[in-house]
Amino acid sequence: MSLKKFLTSKVFFKQLAIALVITIVIIFGLLKWLGSTTNHGQEIPVPNLSKMTVEKAAETLEAIDLEYLVLDTVDFKADFPPYTIVQQDPLPNVTVKENRKVYVKVNSGGYNDITLPDLIQKTYRAAIPTLKGAGLEEGKITYKPYLAKDVVLEMWQNGKKLKGGDKVKKASKIDLVLGDGKTAYIDDEGTDNAETPETETVDE
């Protein structure tokens, strides 16, 4: 039989139809297999892990076939409990496939130590921005006799006299002793005074 007659014969069209059916079945089966192995259509909303401990987050994610990975510990944030999750990726309610890793960052256990700037002989107006720029807060303000008004004479915290360069906790309060502008300032020993000053307190 010639090629031309074969291509126009019923046998050829029959074989062609069988080949097309087999091809369609193979493609359909392959798509089904790919869908099952890649969890096509099976998406899981990521839970909100904010303020959870790592242990609690692990239990929550494992229950829905997700995993976690701690990326880093961040500087302490006062509005989050210590050692709890402050950031996550993907964000809450984003849908993901099972076994997807959720990347988290954890809050520190407390504020880090920072260096206290030297505020002695600075004016109150200049000292406060310097203090806050270092991550510290203004505490109690008291006055002592001193010729220059509102000049920082001493720095204190929890009954301890401080000096520039000392280590203090970030976000802690620093009490300041200022000159009252009335007379010269001389400490109790004529040089330095390490006791809590008995001074006039000004309400903040």
Side-chain angles (χ1 to χ4, degrees):
M1 179 184 293
S2 65
L3 179 61
K4 182 177 180 181
K5 287 184 178 181
F6 173 72
L7 293 176
T8 57
S9 66
K10 292 180 179 180
V11 174
F12 170 76
F13 286 109
K14 183 178 180 180
Q15 291 178 345
L16 181 61
I18 292 172
L20 287 174
V21 170
I22 293 173
T23 302
I24 291 171
V25 169
I26 291 173
I27 292 173
F28 180 76
L30 183 61
L31 291 175
K32 290 289 287 184
W33 177 78
L34 288 173
S36 64
T37 56
T38 59
N39 300 314
H40 180 68
Q42 299 177 20
E43 295 185 330
I44 304 168
V46 177
N48 187 355
L49 306 177
S50 179
K51 297 185 178 181
M52 285 188 186
T53 63
V54 173
E55 292 77 12
K56 178 63 176 177
E59 293 176 3
T60 301
L61 294 174
E62 286 175 5
I64 54 175
D65 296 321
L66 296 178
E67 301 176 8
Y68 79 95
L69 179 65
V70 177
L71 289 180
D72 197 6
T73 299
V74 302
D75 288 341
F76 183 71
K77 298 180 182 295
D79 49 342
F80 286 82
Y83 306 114
T84 60
I85 293 172
V86 298
Q87 296 179 31
Q88 68 179 85
D89 180 31
L91 295 173
N93 300 319
V94 173
T95 55
V96 296
K97 299 290 193 328
E98 68 179 31
N99 298 321
R100 168 70 187 270
K101 279 187 174 65
V102 179
Y103 300 95
V104 299
K105 293 185 178 181
V106 179
N107 199 20
S108 297
Y111 288 112
N112 296 326
D113 288 337
I114 61 173
T115 301
L116 176 67
D118 189 0
L119 305 179
I120 304 302
Q121 292 300 315
K122 288 183 178 289
T123 64
Y124 172 77
R125 180 176 294 183
I128 296 306
T130 302
L131 195 68
K132 292 185 176 180
L136 298 166
E137 298 294 331
E138 173 186 352
K140 183 173 64 176
I141 302 298
T142 57
Y143 283 88
K144 267 192 170 183
Y146 191 68
L147 183 62
K149 183 174 175 57
D150 290 335
V151 168
V152 178
L153 303 176
E154 299 171 7
M155 302 181 291
W156 293 77
Q157 186 180 71
N158 300 325
K160 179 182 177 182
K161 190 174 183 180
L162 303 174
K163 63 182 182 300
D166 286 346
K167 296 295 183 180
V168 294
K169 293 294 183 184
K170 183 178 180 179
S172 60
K173 290 186 176 182
I174 305 299
D175 300 331
L176 301 177
V177 178
L178 307 180
D180 62 5
K182 295 179 181 178
T183 185
Y185 167 70
I186 302 176
D187 62 22
D188 294 341
E189 298 180 1
T191 52
D192 230 351
N193 181 9
E195 297 178 354
T196 305
E198 295 181 3
T199 55
E200 175 189 357
T201 301
V202 176
D203 293 334
E204 298 179 49

